[in-house]
């Protein structure tokens, strides 16, 4: 079993910044990719940022230039630096990891989410 735990969410004013973190723990061989997704009330979950073990990153236009994803491979932890936050960024942010587990299966695992609220 693999567990992902997010932290760093909270309430911030428009234009402010937050840094989210997500650590992976459990029994697994490797992580091939990690990422962040978000879901606002009444909306579908959407991609925010992803990074592969090779360092390739991907961002949608809505956050490009404002958000930065990074990973600490030694600690199995992924970060999301969010700058110039907008009210439209308010959502529950979920951590995702593509993991090769002890049975040599590649599976996606999800954290329980952390709330980000951007409001004055």
């Amino acid at each position: 079993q693999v567990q992902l735990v997010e932290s760093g969410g909270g309430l911030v004013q428009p234009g402010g910044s937050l840094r989210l973190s997500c650590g992976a723990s459990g029994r697994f061989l490797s992580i091939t990719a990690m990422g962040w997704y978000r879901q606002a009330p009444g909306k579908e979950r959407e991609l925010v940022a992803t990074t592969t073990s090779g360092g390739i990153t991907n961002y949608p236009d809505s956050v490009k230039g404002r958000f930065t994803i990074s990973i600490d491979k030694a600690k199995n932890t992924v970060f999301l630096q969010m700058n110039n936050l907008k009210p439209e960024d308010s959502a529950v942010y979920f951590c995702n990891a593509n993991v090769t587990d002890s049975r040599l299966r590649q599976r996606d695992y999800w954290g329980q989410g952390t709330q980000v609220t951007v409001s004055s």
Side-chain angles (χ1 to χ4, degrees), residues 83-96:
N83 297 326
N84 192 24
L85 283 161
K86 304 175 180 180
E88 307 92 87
D89 297 318
S90 296
V92 177
Y93 283 69
F94 296 91
C95 175
N96 170 267

Side-chain angles (χ1 to χ4, degrees), residues 38-45 87-92 115-117:
R38 67 187 181 188
Q39 187 168 21
K43 297 183 178 180
E44 297 291 321
R45 187 172 298 186
E88 307 92 87
D89 297 318
S90 296
V92 177
Q115 177 70 51
V116 172
T117 302

Side-chain angles (χ1 to χ4, degrees), residues 6-65:
E6 304 101 331
S7 64
L11 175 64
V12 65
Q13 294 186 354
S17 298
L18 284 173
R19 187 173 188 245
L20 307 182
S21 64
C22 171
S25 63
R27 302 172 71 89
F28 57 87
L29 298 179
S30 63
I31 299 175
T32 58
M34 299 189 77
W36 292 93
Y37 296 74
R38 67 187 181 188
Q39 187 168 21
K43 297 183 178 180
E44 297 291 321
R45 187 172 298 186
E46 64 176 345
L47 181 146
V48 177
T50 59
T51 183
T52 69
S53 60
I56 300 174
T57 58
N58 185 36
Y59 306 91
D61 290 341
S62 59
V63 308
K64 195 173 300 181

